[in-house]
Amino acid sequence: MDYLNNTINTLPRERGQHLRFEDRCEIKALHKQGYSYRQIAKALNCSPSTVGYELKRGTVTKTTHRGRPTEYVPSRGQAVYYENRKRSGRKQRITSESPFAIWVAAQVKKANWSLDVCAGYAKKHNLFTEEELVCAKTLYNALNQSRLP
């Protein structure tokens, strides 16, 4: 039988890419069959440590009265992955509640200053600490992202 017209198109996973849900399901199947981390990693084209981390991430403890063993659940691994991705990335230095942002908004409204003038004036006159100050480019980016009051 030929599988040329198969409706399921699974592309081979490239190294360095994040695991997909299908990869997590394959990890579960191979782990259940008794494959080692290295054998699973070779089948998925990833590092053995990736397989180990994924099994650790997605393993849940069953709390039943029968004392069932723990097992890997791909949907749990995917959910933990999404939660970790939400928290990843650089934290924003300026928010709409920061004192510098409030001062900048007041100066733009009252004195009709530009964001560049506000950043330069505040830096020149040491109105805020170094942690509170941001450059004009950051102010314009925050304005474009609607993070300024």
Side-chain angles (χ1 to χ4, degrees), residues 40-97:
I40 296 171
K42 190 173 183 180
L44 289 175
N45 192 24
C46 68
S47 170
S49 60
T50 301
V51 175
Y53 292 141
E54 183 57 36
L55 287 171
K56 184 179 176 184
R57 176 184 300 127
T59 301
V60 294
T61 3
K62 299 262 184 171
T63 55
T64 62
H65 63 281
R66 295 182 187 160
R68 292 184 180 161
T70 61
E71 66 177 14
Y72 174 74
V73 180
S75 58
R76 172 72 177 154
Q78 189 78 12
V80 172
Y81 166 74
Y82 282 139
E83 283 300 313
N84 291 343
R85 288 294 288 175
K86 282 183 196 174
R87 290 191 308 266
S88 70
R90 189 173 184 179
K91 292 185 179 178
Q92 301 298 328
R93 287 193 59 195
I94 189 165
T95 61
S96 58
E97 294 87 27

Side-chain angles (χ1 to χ4, degrees), residues 4-19:
L4 292 176
N5 298 324
N6 192 355
T7 58
I8 300 174
N9 294 328
T10 55
L11 298 173
R13 189 181 157 286
E14 294 181 25
R15 286 187 73 83
Q17 299 295 313
H18 292 262
L19 293 176

Side-chain angles (χ1 to χ4, degrees), residues 130-146:
E130 287 294 321
E131 291 82 29
E132 293 175 325
L133 280 177
V134 294
C135 67
K137 174 87 170 122
T138 304
L139 283 174
Y140 280 107
N141 288 340
L143 180 67
N144 289 337
Q145 296 168 359
S146 302

